[in-house]
Amino acid sequence: ESWEKEGIEEGYFTQKLNIEDTQRDTGWDLEALIKREKLNGMTEEKIQSEYYCDSNAPIEGSYYSDAIKEIEEQGKICDLPWDRNLAVHTAWDIGVNDNTAIWFYQQYGNEVWFIDFYQCNNKDITHYAKIVSDKDYIYGKHYGPHDLAVRDGWGGGMRTRQQRARDLGLNFTKLVKAGKEEGIEGARALLYKCKFDKVKCEDGLDCLRAYHRKWDDMAGTYIDHDVHDWASDAADAFRYAAQSIRKFRDPNTEGSRQRKVKQVYEYLR
């Protein structure tokens, strides 16, 4: 009411102050404070988030947020046009009651360009087949997890997931079952070779940033066991992408790279 009398419109005021901004009022010894927090087990990620209000600080316990922050600083999360001369591959994590996540990517020399991402839940294979076919991409391979042989409620009745997908024009290449810890390390290594479309892959990148280790209350630390939540399906699909790239090489990309090397060699001669 007092605002209305003064002719001031109702609104909100926000202000972000980090520990350095408030030091003059608190009189804290920042160096001693931060040192004490580290001795008490606070991670650098937590310090940057809690004391310096750094919204871009890697998420504590996250598998990939530090790597994503680094490639973002290098300008690799950007407006990324897809190359119509290269095949688009997909990597899937399949869910029935939880999310099905799909990454769309191209192999360009030693780089991998993630040009698109899609995720949804409680849909059968016909939904995802239409999503894929409606995109203006020339597809190479569709990679899926080892459980493509499962018969379940993905719209296939007694047919397997892989058979039902084939009926709809999706010919999956089935990946072998691999250790999750090894797969996570492979995915982390891949991230440094990647570029991402910042708009189409925004949701997928949010999932990768949030994918994290489990906290052990007894030990008071994070353990090498992932948390299955809203972020994990997209992270699993990315892990399958990394697995497919290690196992299979794109012949079109390889041929293009070899031709370029030959051209440079001929020019130097």
Side-chain angles (χ1 to χ4, degrees):
E1 293 180 358
S2 62
W3 286 12
E4 292 177 357
K5 291 178 181 178
E6 296 294 331
I8 301 174
E9 294 183 3
E10 183 178 356
Y12 298 91
F13 172 77
T14 62
Q15 187 176 31
K16 183 169 73 172
L17 300 174
N18 63 35
I19 194 170
E20 292 179 347
D21 298 325
T22 58
Q23 182 187 18
R24 59 182 177 272
D25 298 321
T26 63
W28 287 336
D29 183 337
L30 296 189
E31 185 176 349
L33 174 64
I34 299 301
K35 183 177 181 180
R36 183 169 65 251
E37 293 287 23
K38 287 183 177 179
L39 290 173
N40 288 333
M42 183 175 281
T43 63
E44 183 63 31
E45 294 92 339
K46 191 72 170 178
I47 289 170
Q48 291 299 319
S49 176
E50 292 292 324
Y51 286 110
Y52 292 94
C53 305
D54 185 357
S55 59
N56 293 319
I59 297 170
E60 191 176 19
S62 169
Y63 287 104
Y64 304 133
S65 63
D66 54 345
I68 293 174
K69 181 180 181 182
E70 184 171 332
I71 66 172
E72 187 169 21
E73 290 171 349
Q74 294 171 355
K76 293 183 177 181
I77 299 176
C78 55
D79 294 319
L80 187 62
W82 62 284
D83 190 333
R84 293 180 178 271
N85 296 315
L86 289 179
V88 175
H89 308 294
T90 65
W92 299 54
D93 181 62
I94 295 168
V96 178
N97 296 319
D98 53 3
N99 291 323
T100 290
I102 312 169
W103 287 99
F104 300 76
Y105 63 93
Q106 296 181 297
Q107 292 177 247
Y108 194 86
N110 290 325
E111 289 186 335
V112 182
W113 293 359
F114 283 85
I115 60 171
D116 209 341
F117 173 81
Y118 182 77
Q119 182 170 257
C120 192
N121 58 25
N122 293 318
K123 301 290 185 181
D124 65 20
I125 178 58
T126 57
H127 171 82
Y128 300 104
K130 187 175 189 310
I131 290 295
V132 170
S133 65
D134 283 351
K135 292 182 181 291
D136 191 26
Y137 300 145
I138 306 300
Y139 289 105
K141 292 182 178 292
H142 302 289
Y143 296 102
H146 67 281
D147 58 3
L148 282 166
V150 169
R151 292 177 173 86
D152 61 9
W154 208 40
M158 292 304 295
R159 295 175 68 76
T160 67
R161 294 173 172 180
Q162 190 166 15
Q163 290 168 338
R164 178 61 174 145
R166 191 181 298 120
D167 292 342
L168 296 169
L170 287 172
N171 294 309
F172 274 108
T173 297
K174 185 172 65 175
L175 298 168
V176 300
K177 188 174 183 179
K180 182 168 285 190
E181 291 79 9
E182 179 185 355
I184 288 172
E185 287 306 311
R188 188 201 303 276
L190 173 64
L191 276 167
Y192 294 102
K193 299 179 180 180
C194 292
K195 288 184 177 179
F196 291 87
D197 186 282
K198 67 180 182 181
V199 176
K200 293 181 180 179
C201 295
E202 181 179 8
D203 291 343
L205 285 167
D206 285 344
C207 292
L208 293 182
R209 291 186 183 97
Y211 182 54
H212 64 287
R213 298 174 178 86
K214 188 175 182 179
W215 175 262
D216 187 327
D217 286 328
M218 295 293 292
T221 187
Y222 289 95
I223 59 176
D224 283 330
H225 190 290
D226 67 325
V227 174
H228 186 74
D229 60 9
W230 64 273
S232 58
D233 300 301
D236 286 344
F238 186 81
R239 178 161 52 86
Y240 298 141
Q243 184 180 350
S244 73
I245 291 164
R246 290 198 308 273
K247 186 173 179 58
F248 303 95
R249 301 292 297 185
D250 185 331
N252 295 326
T253 302
E254 285 297 293
S256 175
R257 185 177 67 83
Q258 291 169 3
R259 286 193 295 273
K260 288 180 180 178
V261 170
K262 184 176 180 180
Q263 289 171 359
V264 171
Y265 176 76
E266 293 296 330
Y267 175 79
L268 293 175
R269 288 181 62 189

